[in-house]
Amino acid sequence: MDNEIKEDNNNRGEIEITPLPLKNDNLQEYNTNLKQEDQIKYSNYIMLSHFITRMGDKTFEFMIPLFLIYKSPNSLLPVSLFGLSITIVRILFGSTIGDICDKYKKIQVIKLGIFGQAISVGSIFVIVYYFLNFNFISIDNRGKSQSPNLFSTKIDLFFFFLLLLFSSIHSLSGLLMDISIERKWTPALIKNNNLLNRVNTWMRQIDLGTEVLGPFLVGLLMTTSSGDQIISSDSNNHSAYLLITILNFFSFFPQYILLKIVYDLVSKENLIIFEDENEIDITNLTNAIKYSKFTDGLDLNNIFNNDNNNNNNNNNNNNNNNNNNNNNNNNNNNNNNNNNNFSILSNFDNPILTIIKGWKLFYQQSIFLVMISYVMLYLTVLSPHDVLMTAYLSNNGTITPSELSTFRLLGALFGLGSTMFFTNFVKLLNGNMNLVGQFYIFQEGIMILISGYYFSSISISNIDRFIFLGTIVLSRIGLYGFELSEIYYVQRKVIQNRGIISGVESSLTSLATLFVFVISIIFHKIESFYLLVTFSIISINFSAFLFFYWCKRNQQIHQQIE
């Protein structure tokens, strides 16, 4: 028995899940839980796919700002516009991306995400090639009176606009893949909570590892060795930019192959996803229970096929009615072609309406305050990887470049260490995720509070400076530990519309990042940086108390892990 999927013209794309009476005589047709060894095998495929694409993405995302600085060394405007464009599209279309993950067939969503990434990276390759080969102003021969390279001519402006456009598409496609795999595939395939926590931990470790390895690989490719000297040349840089783009492009193929293998294997298992896994008694499945199959979802192809069929029928009717008037026939055909384009676009939900719908659903969730607590952790400049913090420390004059590099590296390593010990710490607290989350978020809040106390004296005391930097590094333990806790809550407590909820959460984190930049523009003087530090301390500690309040209100929701 298949799910009954109904599409309403007034509410296009909603999937109605009908109750399935699971009786003893038809249980053999369905699979409510994959074997433990199969869950491990599929998770390995997913993580290998995740590593391949993350490695390509991290090198690519690090390379683009370097390329923009290389072509416009006298201006930060291109880099600022690049970051701003990606942040804005994530705010505007995060809900839509999540909605797509909820509605359509899982394998088609994967195809759409990989296709979007591949097309955007391929297009950016052409744009980078143009700037490197048909725009000849270089760093070495640029005079002070010359304009920045990226804004020299109207053609350059056009290609720069295309670069922002395809970079935004690449970001949204990556978000589509992240939500689909992490929030939809993984919790559906892995029913064992302990294994799910491990997979979440491994995926965060991959993220942190590639965050370090990606920039290292970029630096390695952009540097040539000549005897005992390390010489960076224009020609080598040109080759490195193009090579990094090519490597990222070809990383999408093994990613799709691995995910397709998982999808095909699971499809044969006839896996069922219940509407609320927590309320299912596997030993007694005789009642009518709402379910959906892993392969269920709307067909993306119907967006085009149905409209084409309808418009072809309209064309035939118009031709039959107007056999004696060729001019009218041509006019009707032209009108139908125009209507065809508009009707295809009408199959996609209005992004503004999707934002409203998504934010309403987000507010209605039982873990609403948990997700808000996580979002508030983005309202900070006290991070080893924060651009504003790096700029302040560089201008402070007391931090050397080597110390800054060590600061960033230690931040990544301590975050990695936090993920490595996460599952053991969960076991230590008997699987009580409320206690786990409280420990991690209060650990970050306390470390940030201590760093703020020593901030005022970092210019006059070496000990205070290292305490300030050290406590920020230690705060990464709490950050990544709480992130893993929050991911687990979303995977297990958001029963329906998990995709659009995750999309809203992504939009809010981008909005929080944008808000910090706006505040930094208002208080842009170096002397005013203490205001940003104070704002960060308040935001993170308020986030901790908000989560504590939620835990006290929901003591029964602690997601005990076997």
Side-chain angles (χ1 to χ4, degrees):
M1 182 183 299
D2 293 327
N3 280 356
E4 184 179 335
I5 300 177
K6 299 180 180 180
E7 294 186 58
D8 191 326
N9 291 331
N10 295 326
N11 193 14
R12 183 177 282 107
E14 295 295 330
I15 301 178
E16 182 175 319
I17 306 178
T18 58
L20 168 69
L22 291 178
K23 300 179 181 179
N24 292 330
D25 59 350
N26 68 356
L27 272 176
Q28 59 185 3
E29 300 178 14
Y30 303 97
N31 195 350
T32 59
N33 199 357
L34 298 175
K35 296 179 181 178
Q36 180 78 2
E37 55 268 24
D38 287 338
Q39 293 184 40
I40 296 175
K41 179 174 68 174
Y42 298 153
S43 65
N44 288 335
Y45 280 124
I46 289 175
M47 285 186 294
L48 180 58
S49 169
H50 186 70
F51 172 77
I52 292 172
T53 186
R54 269 292 185 268
M55 196 64 194
D57 286 346
K58 291 299 181 182
T59 55
F60 183 74
E61 291 170 2
F62 186 75
M63 180 272 292
I64 291 297
L66 286 182
F67 168 75
L68 295 175
I69 294 174
Y70 170 71
K71 299 304 291 183
S72 292
N74 298 324
S75 175
L76 292 176
L77 182 60
V79 180
S80 301
L81 291 175
F82 171 77
L84 183 64
S85 63
I86 291 177
T87 302
I88 289 177
V89 297
R90 278 181 170 252
I91 293 173
L92 294 178
F93 297 102
S95 302
T96 300
I97 293 298
D99 199 34
I100 291 174
C101 294
D102 283 331
K103 288 182 177 179
Y104 297 100
K105 292 181 181 293
K106 291 180 175 60
I107 192 61
Q108 291 183 342
V109 172
I110 293 299
K111 289 180 180 179
L112 179 63
I114 293 178
F115 178 77
Q117 288 179 304
I119 288 296
S120 58
V121 170
S123 301
I124 290 173
F125 174 86
V126 175
I127 296 169
V128 170
Y129 184 84
Y130 163 79
F131 278 119
L132 293 177
N133 292 275
F134 298 97
N135 195 288
F136 300 104
I137 302 176
S138 64
I139 293 178
D140 294 334
N141 60 15
R142 189 192 307 278
K144 292 184 178 180
S145 62
Q146 291 176 308
S147 301
N149 195 353
L150 295 173
F151 306 119
S152 300
T153 65
K154 292 182 179 180
I155 296 179
D156 292 341
L157 285 172
F158 174 72
F159 274 97
F160 178 70
F161 171 77
L162 290 180
L163 177 66
L164 298 183
L165 174 63
F166 286 111
S167 296
S168 299
I169 294 175
H170 179 268
S171 178
L172 291 178
S173 300
L175 178 62
L176 184 71
M177 295 295 295
D178 289 343
I179 293 177
S180 182
I181 297 301
E182 184 179 277
R183 303 297 174 97
K184 302 292 289 187
W185 283 50
T186 304
L189 296 177
I190 303 175
K191 302 300 176 66
N192 181 283
N193 291 334
N194 190 40
L195 179 59
L196 178 62
N197 250 332
R198 289 183 182 179
V199 172
N200 290 336
T201 299
W202 291 332
M203 294 181 78
R204 291 288 77 73
Q205 291 172 2
I206 290 173
D207 292 342
L208 288 168
T210 53
E211 188 173 323
V212 175
L213 291 176
F216 174 78
L217 180 61
V218 173
L220 191 65
L221 291 174
M222 295 181 64
T223 306
T224 56
S225 176
S226 178
D228 294 332
Q229 296 180 341
I230 302 298
I231 303 174
S232 179
S233 63
D234 280 354
S235 59
N236 186 60
N237 283 342
H238 291 189
S239 301
Y241 291 133
L242 297 176
L243 180 60
I244 291 167
T245 308
I246 292 172
L247 290 175
N248 189 30
F249 180 83
F250 283 103
S251 70
F252 300 126
F253 294 97
Q255 178 191 16
Y256 173 73
I257 291 173
L258 290 168
L259 294 176
K260 186 64 164 61
I261 291 174
V262 173
Y263 184 83
D264 290 341
L265 291 174
V266 176
S267 299
K268 296 177 182 178
E269 298 280 352
N270 213 11
L271 179 66
I272 285 176
I273 305 170
F274 293 108
E275 180 178 310
D276 189 351
E277 299 281 353
N278 298 319
E279 297 180 358
I280 299 301
D281 182 4
I282 300 299
T283 62
N284 182 18
L285 294 175
T286 57
N287 297 325
I289 303 170
K290 290 186 177 181
Y291 83 104
S292 64
K293 294 173 64 177
F294 182 79
T295 55
D296 280 343
L298 300 180
D299 192 345
L300 277 171
N301 297 322
N302 289 340
I303 291 178
F304 301 97
N305 293 338
N306 287 343
D307 285 290
N308 287 335
N309 292 335
N310 291 336
N311 284 300
N312 287 334
N313 292 334
N314 290 336
N315 286 333
N316 292 332
N317 291 334
N318 288 329
N319 288 331
N320 291 332
N321 293 332
N322 297 289
N323 287 328
N324 297 326
N325 193 334
N326 290 331
N327 291 332
N328 289 337
N329 189 26
N330 291 333
N331 290 334
N332 285 326
N333 285 332
N334 290 333
N335 290 332
N336 286 326
N337 288 333
N338 292 331
N339 291 333
N340 184 28
N341 294 330
F342 284 112
S343 59
I344 290 175
L345 292 176
S346 67
N347 279 277
F348 296 96
D349 290 340
N350 187 320
I352 303 300
L353 296 179
T354 305
I355 290 175
I356 297 173
K357 170 189 173 184
W359 287 38
K360 286 182 178 178
L361 290 171
F362 185 83
Y363 176 74
Q364 294 169 1
Q365 300 304 308
S366 63
I367 61 167
F368 166 72
L369 292 181
V370 178
M371 294 184 286
I372 289 296
S373 297
Y374 174 70
V375 169
M376 290 190 67
L377 297 181
Y378 282 77
L379 294 171
T380 181
V381 297
L382 296 175
S383 165
H385 308 286
D386 187 78
V387 176
L388 298 173
M389 170 61 74
T390 302
Y392 174 80
L393 294 176
S394 300
N395 283 278
N396 185 265
T398 58
I399 308 293
T400 65
S402 61
E403 289 174 343
L404 273 177
S405 301
T406 304
F407 179 52
R408 293 175 65 91
L409 177 61
L410 288 176
L413 291 178
F414 272 79
L416 183 63
S418 176
T419 62
M420 293 176 65
F421 291 100
F422 180 79
T423 52
N424 290 329
F425 186 70
V426 171
K427 291 179 181 179
L428 181 65
L429 295 182
N430 298 319
N432 190 319
M433 293 303 293
N434 283 9
L435 291 179
V436 172
Q438 287 178 71
F439 171 82
Y440 279 115
I441 198 168
F442 274 105
Q443 189 273 347
E444 181 182 7
I446 292 172
M447 290 298 105
I448 292 299
L449 190 61
I450 295 174
S451 69
Y453 177 79
Y454 286 94
F455 170 74
S456 60
S457 55
I458 63 173
S459 300
I460 57 177
S461 172
N462 290 333
I463 295 178
D464 289 357
R465 181 167 67 252
F466 284 113
I467 293 177
F468 171 74
L469 299 176
T471 49
I472 292 177
V473 168
L474 290 174
S475 72
R476 312 308 284 178
I477 297 175
L479 172 66
Y480 287 103
F482 183 75
E483 181 185 27
L484 288 171
S485 304
E486 191 268 348
I487 290 173
Y488 183 83
Y489 275 117
V490 174
Q491 289 173 332
R492 286 298 190 238
K493 297 308 297 181
V494 178
I495 299 170
Q496 294 179 326
N497 302 301
R498 191 184 299 125
I500 192 171
I501 298 302
S502 300
V504 172
E505 182 185 81
S506 175
S507 297
L508 288 175
T509 56
S510 297
L511 186 62
T513 302
L514 181 62
F515 182 76
V516 172
F517 277 107
V518 171
I519 295 295
S520 68
I521 292 174
I522 298 174
F523 303 103
H524 61 277
K525 294 183 179 180
I526 295 296
E527 297 79 14
S528 301
F529 192 75
Y530 76 93
L531 295 174
L532 299 179
V533 172
T534 304
F535 174 76
S536 302
I537 295 171
I538 294 173
S539 298
I540 291 177
N541 282 277
F542 181 78
S543 171
F545 282 103
L546 193 64
F547 181 70
F548 176 77
Y549 169 77
W550 179 86
C551 290
K552 290 302 180 182
R553 289 281 303 273
N554 300 272
Q555 293 183 8
Q556 74 281 7
I557 304 178
H558 54 75
Q559 282 297 300
Q560 204 78 21
I561 299 177
E562 62 271 10

